[in-house]
Amino acid sequence: MTSLLPTSSTSADLATGRGRGISGRRELGFLAIVYVGYALTRVLASDALGPAVSRARHLVDLERPLLLDVERPLNHWLAGHDLLGTMAAFHYASAHYVVTTVVLVWLFFRRPEVYVAARRTLVIATSIALAIYLLAPTAPPRLVGGFTDVLAQHATTGWWGGEASAPQGLGWMTNQLAAFPSMHAGWALWVALAITASTANLVIRGLAWSHAVITGLVVVGTGNHWTLDVVVGWALVGFVWMLAQQWRDDTTDVRPVLVPHARTSLER
């Protein structure tokens, strides 16, 4: 007789990803590739502000008939409320990296059946966005004029300077013309999708989706993105996520393991 339950060692392997053929070393390599890609776009992308501002104005022209041009009133409102502005600045400068990393690591160790497609989504969507940053640099609202740079406004209370969310004195490390699409918004949606696929807990799901919505409001309100940046960032991640669900390796399937055991005298 056989048992349909996995052995304890198999369960442990699935929990850590070893039984799924997921190598921690390989995963670090994927993350390194994404980082190198970003670094290359920072070095190779044009920093000419004129064409980037022109592209931004074209985005606004597209937004108006869709009633999406809400950046200015939202930015002015946030800039006029110091406490909310400071909270938004901290969110913009940290949640993008911290929340995404925590969820990615949690998936790797606790939800390997979700992890591979989720990581694949993150890498592919981010790579597409990096290519767009390289080919079509677009200025954020704070560089167009008539907007308040909320992060710069509250830079004395945090570690960031006047160049997006880069630490003070390290503005050269960030591409300030990487506005379209918004990967702050895209990664936040990725978090919501990954959590939804990983748990039925409504409270945790609600927090994940709240993170996505709050991030969308924050990136626009702080003057770092246009509304269409957010919409396209969400659409990009959502589309790649759907594709990734159909593109699974056999090693990512969770299946019961047939474990033979000795028959007792009653089974003979």
Side-chain angles (χ1 to χ4, degrees):
M1 182 177 177
T2 58
S3 171
L4 293 179
L5 296 176
T7 64
S8 59
S9 62
T10 302
S11 298
D13 284 346
L14 288 175
T16 60
R18 290 191 298 272
R20 314 292 295 279
I22 303 174
S23 163
R25 193 171 299 153
R26 186 184 69 180
E27 299 312 306
L28 289 176
F30 275 111
L31 297 179
I33 290 172
V34 174
Y35 177 79
V36 170
Y38 175 79
L40 286 175
T41 63
R42 180 65 191 96
V43 173
L44 300 176
S46 170
D47 59 358
L49 187 58
V53 169
S54 178
R55 293 188 189 95
R57 288 176 175 153
H58 286 313
L59 284 182
V60 176
D61 289 340
L62 293 174
E63 288 182 349
R64 287 193 181 113
L66 300 173
L67 302 180
L68 294 176
D69 55 332
V70 299
E71 299 91 354
R72 199 177 301 274
L74 183 57
N75 174 252
H76 289 175
W77 180 82
L78 190 60
H81 294 77
D82 285 342
L83 178 58
L84 290 177
T86 301
M87 292 172 62
F90 271 99
H91 184 96
Y92 185 90
S94 59
H96 177 56
Y97 307 103
V98 174
V99 176
T100 306
T101 300
V102 167
V103 172
L104 189 64
V105 172
W106 178 76
L107 291 176
F108 179 79
F109 286 104
R110 301 303 298 273
R111 295 292 186 273
E113 71 278 8
V114 176
Y115 173 79
V116 173
R119 180 260 292 149
R120 188 171 285 152
T121 298
L122 197 63
V123 171
I124 293 175
T126 301
S127 298
I128 293 172
L130 291 175
I132 296 174
Y133 299 156
L134 179 62
L135 298 173
T138 303
R142 62 187 175 82
L143 295 182
V144 170
F147 291 86
T148 299
D149 185 339
V150 174
L151 265 75
Q153 184 182 29
H154 299 285
T156 56
T157 63
W159 59 86
W160 56 86
E163 301 90 357
S165 57
Q168 295 184 27
L170 297 177
W172 58 272
M173 294 181 64
T174 186
N175 183 356
Q176 295 195 67
L177 302 181
F180 178 86
S182 170
M183 279 295 98
H184 269 76
W187 284 16
L189 179 66
W190 176 88
V191 167
L193 292 171
I195 291 296
T196 299
S198 303
T199 179
N201 189 304
L202 295 180
V203 174
I204 297 176
R205 283 185 171 189
L207 290 173
W209 284 100
S210 295
H211 170 64
V213 173
I214 290 171
T215 299
L217 293 172
V218 163
V219 300
V220 174
T222 55
N224 282 284
H225 286 283
W226 306 97
T227 307
L228 270 181
D229 296 343
V230 172
V231 172
V232 175
W234 282 342
L236 173 60
V237 169
F239 178 70
V240 176
W241 178 275
M242 288 190 297
L243 292 181
Q245 303 313 303
Q246 308 301 321
W247 183 25
R248 290 176 179 270
D249 296 331
D250 292 339
T251 55
T252 66
D253 293 332
V254 176
R255 303 186 182 195
V257 178
L258 298 178
V259 181
H261 66 275
R263 292 182 297 173
T264 67
S265 59
L266 293 177
E267 295 171 326
R268 290 172 183 158

